[in-house]
Amino acid sequence: MKKIGILFGQENTFPQAFIDRVNQKAVDGITAEFVKIEQVEQAVPCGYDVIVDRISQDVPFYRAYLKNAALTGTAIINNPFWWSADEKFFNNALAVQLGVPVPKTLLLPSKARPDDTNENSFRNLSMFNWDQAFERIGFPAFMKPHAGGGWKSVYKVDNPEQAWRAYDETGQLVMLYQEAIEFDDYFRCYCLGGKHVLIMPYEPRNAPHERYQTTMKTEGEAGQQLLDTIKDYTLRLCQGLGYDFNTVEFAVRGGVPIAIDFGNPAPDADVNSVGAENFEWVVEHAALLAIERAQNNQAGKTNLTWGKFVQDAVGSAPATAKARETDVQVGTPVTETNDLGATGAPKPAAKKAATKKAASSLAVPPTGEVPTTEQPAAKKAAAPKSAAAKPAAKAAASPKAPAAKKPVAKKSE
């Protein structure tokens, strides 16, 4: 008997409907249930041929469990290894290569330094040029984390001052600075199995429970051409990224669908938000997908979906060199000082006075900035500095920035 499981968190309507639908189909040799996790041991199979993952993006323990399950033959929907490596900035870059329009986007260094770093950790990074960023992206714009979702830490900004205030609130987050798309039409599309697409008119400016209560604005032949293009772009993205169960959002500007958000490990499938008709489509196609994956599962082998990007990368990799005689050497003890000041040898006992002096010098924070091309004084004073360029002593003394404009959900993420 092959088992299909669903791993889920706070959602209520989809998991039970999915289990019921799979079991109602009464496919010979296949059953479905909620995943049960007890003891997790490395390289030991979990007992499921397929797991539909709806929660591991928020629970690291589940992510580790799923990777171990995948290693021992379970088909995971979606691939947990890809989602661990996935993030919005890379997705946008890949979309460009796939021929799918996306908003103009820049990557911002974090405002605050990551833990255990100082200015020397950023000697390859020049001062960020805000003027060039504003010229390239324009206004209005969005500032949002380069990895993550759910409209967390998302800011809409209309001028440089708002952009700087928002940036001052982002801490250690690496952010995207992205043009806002003023759209004529908007769509959210389910894609399951890399082949089944449901295109839904969507209004992100409405309250969450009312976002699907809208209609398509483009009509006639132009409307049909738009739907055909959206379907094509959705398949390109999901096949390129390797998502089994995904949603893709498009903002349509001047008749051109621009992909806004298209990397979702567990897209919303609640009947109370997507509506009964859309919910029925998702439940049915998710059940068919899981059954198909269970039937095709090969015990003890890798049963994951990998995107065309990864497949092409593996296919173009250099052939493995023929086995040859290995060369193994044993290193010698290190006694000389390395570039961080460590010698590898025991430190000689220091005198009491010397110890106090050393402690005093160590307590002084590092100072100095990464050398950069000189900017006009007025611009250097106005724009905030990233963690890479801001001296530690000044960072500690900086006053708290004014509250940034509250995140809004008026435009697409």
Side-chain angles (χ1 to χ4, degrees), residues 28-155:
D28 187 39
I30 293 179
T31 186
E33 66 180 32
F34 297 149
V35 169
K36 299 180 182 67
I37 303 175
E38 294 179 350
Q39 182 167 283
V40 182
E41 183 175 349
Q42 59 190 13
V44 175
C46 68
Y48 292 96
D49 295 273
V50 178
I51 293 178
V52 177
D53 172 26
R54 302 285 296 167
I55 188 61
S56 78
Q57 74 278 2
D58 295 327
V59 183
F61 172 81
Y62 287 157
R63 179 56 51 86
Y65 164 80
L66 290 172
K67 288 180 178 178
N68 190 63
L71 183 66
T72 55
T74 303
I76 312 295
I77 300 172
N78 288 298
N79 184 335
F81 295 98
W82 178 246
W83 176 243
S84 296
D86 190 22
E87 45 85 10
K88 292 179 183 294
F89 187 69
F90 171 80
N91 287 355
N92 270 35
L94 182 60
V96 173
Q97 293 195 354
L98 294 172
V100 178
V102 291
K104 293 180 291 186
T105 306
L106 300 177
L107 187 67
L108 304 180
S110 60
K111 168 66 178 179
R113 292 179 187 145
D115 295 339
D116 302 320
T117 65
N118 59 33
E119 74 273 12
N120 290 332
S121 305
F122 299 92
R123 286 182 282 188
N124 297 97
L125 185 61
S126 298
M127 183 78 74
F128 186 77
N129 191 317
W130 285 97
D131 291 326
Q132 287 184 3
F134 297 148
E135 182 178 354
R136 173 61 179 154
I137 302 302
F139 293 104
F142 281 99
M143 193 176 294
K144 58 187 178 181
H146 88 300
W151 280 92
K152 298 176 182 177
S153 301
V154 175
Y155 302 86

Side-chain angles (χ1 to χ4, degrees), residues 4-5 14 18 21-22 25 27 30 49-54 75-79 190-196 242-246 281-297 303-305:
I4 296 171
F14 176 73
F18 168 79
R21 185 63 56 88
V22 172
K25 291 184 178 297
V27 178
I30 293 179
D49 295 273
V50 178
I51 293 178
V52 177
D53 172 26
R54 302 285 296 167
I76 312 295
I77 300 172
N78 288 298
N79 184 335
Y190 278 110
C191 183
L192 273 77
K195 54 187 176 183
H196 301 293
Y243 276 104
D244 298 299
F245 191 153
N246 192 21
W281 187 96
V282 175
V283 171
E284 176 68 11
H285 285 80
L288 293 174
L289 172 62
I291 291 169
E292 178 185 0
R293 297 296 297 277
Q295 292 172 326
N296 295 332
N297 183 280
N303 292 286
L304 298 174
T305 298

Side-chain angles (χ1 to χ4, degrees), residues 350-371:
K351 294 181 181 180
K352 206 166 188 179
T355 303
K356 288 183 178 178
K357 184 176 180 181
S360 174
S361 62
L362 288 174
V364 178
T367 59
E369 297 187 0
V370 179

Side-chain angles (χ1 to χ4, degrees), residues 312-373:
D312 291 347
V314 172
S316 63
T320 304
K322 293 182 179 179
R324 55 181 180 271
E325 185 178 353
T326 58
D327 179 16
V328 180
Q329 299 181 9
V330 178
T332 56
V334 177
T335 57
E336 66 274 13
T337 301
N338 63 26
D339 67 345
L340 297 179
T343 64
K347 293 184 179 180
K351 294 181 181 180
K352 206 166 188 179
T355 303
K356 288 183 178 178
K357 184 176 180 181
S360 174
S361 62
L362 288 174
V364 178
T367 59
E369 297 187 0
V370 179
T372 59
T373 304

